Amino acid sequence: IRVTFTPIHRREFGITGTIAVLQDVTEQEEMETTRREFVANVSHELRTPLTTIRSYAEALDDGAMGEPQLAERFVGVIRNETERMIRLVTDLLHLSRLDSNEAPLRMQPADVMEMLDEVADRFSFQMKQKHIRSGMFVEQGIGKVVIDRDQIEQVLDNLMSNALKYTPEGGNIRIEARRNSEGMLSISVQDTGIGIPKKDLDRIFERFYRVDKARSRNMGGTGLGLSIAREIVKAHGGQIFLESEYGQGTCTTFTLPMLGEGREAQ
Ligand code: ADP
C-alpha cells in the first residue's frame, strides 16, 4: 500500500488538516516486476544466439575459413542461430500484436474436421520420421465454427509441435474434438511423452517458462509457444489448460465458443 499525505492550507489559518491517500499498488508492482522479468528474458534469449554467432564468426576470421569442412560446420551453426533469433522475434511480434489488440480477429466459418486433418497432415512427415503413431477423433455433429482460422491453426501447430518435441520415438499423439458439457468446442492434443512435473504445471503458460531450458533450446523452442496459444484462445473467448503426468504424457485442451461469440464477433 502506498500512502501519500497532502496538507490542507487555508490562507489565514495555515495548515488545517491533511489528506491521506491509501493506494493499493500490489497489482501495479506485480505488473512492473513481470515487465522487468520479460525484458530481462528477451535480452538474455537474444544475447545467447548473438554471442554464439560472434564467436563462430571470429573463429572463421581466425583461420577456420581455410578449412572447408570446418568452415561449413561453423556457417551451419551461424545459420541455425540466426533462424532461432528470427523465430524468437517473430513470436515476440506476434505476442505484442495480441497484447495490444492491434490485430483484430478475422472471424470466418471453418470446418473443424478439415482443419484438424490439415494440421495432422502438416506434421505427418516428422511423425513418421520419429515413428510416432497418430490418431484423431472428431465427435459427430461438429461441423463448422466461427474462428480466426489462421490464429487457431497457429494454436494447433504450437500444441502439435510441443507434443512432437517432447515425445520420444515410438510414442503416440492423438487429436480429439468434442462438444463439452458447457456446449463449447473442446480440442485436445494428447501425447505419451516425457510429461511435466507437478511443480511446473502452474507456470507453464508464462512467457519463457520452460521445464528444461537446455532441452527446449536444443529442440528449437522459444519458450513462447504456449503463451501465444493462450492469448489467441483468450481472444476467442475460450480457455486453455494442460494436464500432465510426469514420465507418462501430456494433454493440452482448449475450448472455443461453438458460435464464435469471441471478442471480435460480438
Ligand atoms: P517451447 O518453445 O520451449 O516448447 P512452450 O511455451 O511451447 O515453449 O512450452 C513451454 C514449456 O512447457 C516447454 O519448454 C516444455 O518444458 C513444456 N511443455 C510444453 N508442452 C509439452 C508437452 N507436450 N510435453 C512435455 N512438456 C511440454
Side-chain angles (χ1 to χ4, degrees), residues 91 158-167 189-191 193-197 200 203-213 215-217 219-228 242 244 249-252:
D91 278 358
N158 290 0
L159 302 190
M160 282 295 282
S161 88
N162 279 347
L164 193 63
K165 270 192 284 191
Y166 304 110
T167 301
V189 176
Q190 205 172 332
D191 66 55
I194 59 172
I196 298 167
D200 296 298
R203 305 195 54 193
I204 213 74
F205 287 96
E206 286 175 24
R207 294 169 190 198
F208 294 117
Y209 193 86
R210 294 123 147 174
V211 175
D212 180 341
K213 266 202 195 311
R215 186 201 290 263
S216 156
R217 280 217 192 87
M219 300 279 187
T222 60
L224 293 174
L226 284 179
S227 340
I228 290 179
L242 190 148
S244 190
T250 303
C251 179
T252 318

Side-chain angles (χ1 to χ4, degrees), residues 5-8 15-20:
F5 294 100
T6 316
I8 306 170
I15 294 174
T16 59
T18 311
I19 303 171

